[in-house]
Amino acid sequence: MTDVVVEKKGHVAIVKIEHMKAMNALSTDMYAQLEEAFDEVGKMDDVYCVILTGSSTVNKKGKTVNSFVAGADIAQMSTMTVAEGKAFGNDSNRVCWKIENFKRPVIAAINGFCLGGGCELAMSCDIRLASDNALFGQPEVGLGITPGCGGTQRLARLIGMGKAKELLYTARGNYTAQDALAMGLVNYVYPLDQLMDEAMKLAEEIAAQAPIAVSLVKEAVNVGMQTDLNSALKLEGNCFGECFATEDQKYGMAWFLDKNRDKPAKEFKNK
Ligand code: CO8
């Protein structure tokens, strides 16, 4: 892999997209590299939270520009046939589905352009944080295409149908981080130079909880949101029950009940 880099810091993995000659645009190869990166992180048993972020470069005018992902690769898509378009849509959806259902929470640290396939990628993450320079939008219809990687589905589920349709129909690519915050597309906005520190703090806070319980929460929320409440509550009950097979449940409750004030800080074992 050359354009997607994985770094591990304690119990957190950082997946960084570094394809800035095309503003991190996602081609078939880039989607494959992203998938490979998540497969690699999936094998790291002691990684309990993941941060997905973009990168920066100095452009031709000498200005530093930052991009999470500026969309799918328009150059590659420009000559696609119907069959190739469908295959590209399926491939990209498979990768976003993998991220959405990754066993650990994934935080998108959105450091700049977050357009089209980039916004779709961010929406497949569990939590989105944005830097104050970030720009959002679904510009697809301005290119003669529909979103193909969850934009017509996850956006409406996340921010409501009316606002989603505004983004999807207008093709505007200039919704600011504050706009994204107001519409519920991102959880928090930070100055660019604080974004990764804040993402790391949040990731470490999540990684310090019982990892199996966190994974079960993710499954219960994701699956439950796509089913009726009664079935979802049964799923939640099953997830809750499964926790009692873990050492971490016994440890976590014993830690709470231990009245010794000098006890060591809590440290779960992912067992
Ligand atoms: N695809 C290919 N190349 C891109 C893309 C892209 N999405 N975005 C930027 N680039 C390239 C530019 O062509 C340029 O290349 P070069 O240096 O060779 O001329 C380089 O990146 C730098 O870009 P700019 O010179 O344009 O830089 P600016 O700072 O002036 O502007 C922008 C940056 C605003 C991001 C601008 O490049 C832009 O508008 N990009 C396109 C944004 C867009 O429309 N994205 C949506 C694409 S469609 C999509 O994502 C569909 C998703 C479908 C799901 C997946 C498959 C089904």
Side-chain angles (χ1 to χ4, degrees):
M1 280 193 292
T2 52
D3 297 311
V4 181
V5 177
V6 175
E7 188 191 352
K8 187 170 170 290
K9 286 187 180 172
H11 293 302
V12 178
I14 300 165
V15 177
K16 190 171 184 191
I17 305 170
E18 291 191 335
H19 182 53
M20 281 302 286
K21 66 178 184 291
M23 297 282 164
N24 287 345
L26 296 171
S27 58
T28 305
D29 174 54
M30 287 297 298
Y31 276 115
Q33 290 195 45
L34 253 185
E35 188 167 24
E36 216 180 294
F38 274 87
D39 285 343
E40 185 185 331
V41 176
K43 289 182 198 139
M44 299 174 179
D45 288 341
D46 60 342
V47 163
Y48 305 149
C49 193
V50 184
I51 298 171
L52 175 63
T53 193
S55 42
S56 68
T57 192
V58 177
N59 72 8
K60 290 170 193 158
K61 294 169 203 151
K63 193 179 152 211
T64 300
V65 282
N66 296 274
S67 185
F68 177 70
V69 168
D73 190 326
I74 300 170
Q76 186 193 355
M77 290 186 293
S78 64
T79 58
M80 277 181 185
T81 62
V82 171
E84 286 166 344
K86 285 184 178 171
F88 190 47
N90 288 338
D91 281 350
S92 58
N93 266 307
R94 191 190 60 250
V95 177
C96 284
W97 179 260
K98 182 172 272 190
I99 293 171
E100 186 168 47
N101 294 289
F102 195 71
K103 64 180 172 182
R104 306 302 186 195
V106 182
I107 299 168
I110 301 162
N111 61 310
F113 297 117
C114 186
L115 303 170
C119 195
E120 293 175 311
L121 178 66
M123 287 190 288
S124 68
C125 299
D126 295 271
I127 295 171
R128 283 153 294 284
L129 310 180
S131 53
D132 49 9
N133 61 310
L135 287 176
F136 296 79
Q138 296 287 165
E140 286 89 345
V141 293
L143 295 161
I145 56 172
T146 64
C149 191
T152 60
Q153 302 306 312
R154 290 193 182 96
L155 190 59
R157 284 166 167 80
L158 202 55
I159 67 171
M161 207 191 287
K163 199 68 189 173
K165 284 179 172 172
E166 178 191 313
L167 268 75
L168 293 163
Y169 295 161
T170 62
R172 281 180 215 151
N174 59 355
Y175 288 92
T176 64
Q178 286 302 332
D179 293 333
L181 182 66
M183 62 179 95
L185 185 52
V186 302
N187 291 33
Y188 297 100
V189 176
Y190 299 107
L192 176 62
D193 61 358
Q194 292 171 24
L195 177 69
M196 283 311 287
D197 286 347
E198 293 294 341
M200 199 64 198
K201 262 193 249 170
L202 179 60
E204 283 171 344
E205 194 178 344
I206 292 169
Q209 312 310 317
I212 297 169
V214 171
S215 293
L216 286 167
V217 168
K218 176 166 177 168
E219 184 189 329
V221 174
N222 281 5
V223 177
M225 285 298 283
Q226 294 180 57
T227 186
D228 63 284
L229 183 60
N230 198 25
S231 311
L233 291 172
K234 283 186 183 132
L235 168 68
E236 187 189 70
N238 283 336
C239 290
F240 176 72
E242 278 181 39
C243 295
F244 293 86
T246 67
E247 283 182 27
D248 282 344
Q249 171 271 324
K250 290 166 186 52
Y251 167 78
M253 291 190 179
W255 192 92
F256 175 82
L257 294 171
D258 180 355
K259 302 296 175 199
N260 174 11
R261 295 199 179 277
D262 300 323
K263 63 191 171 190
K266 199 165 34 176
E267 203 173 333
F268 288 107
K269 295 202 165 52
N270 188 34
K271 284 183 184 160

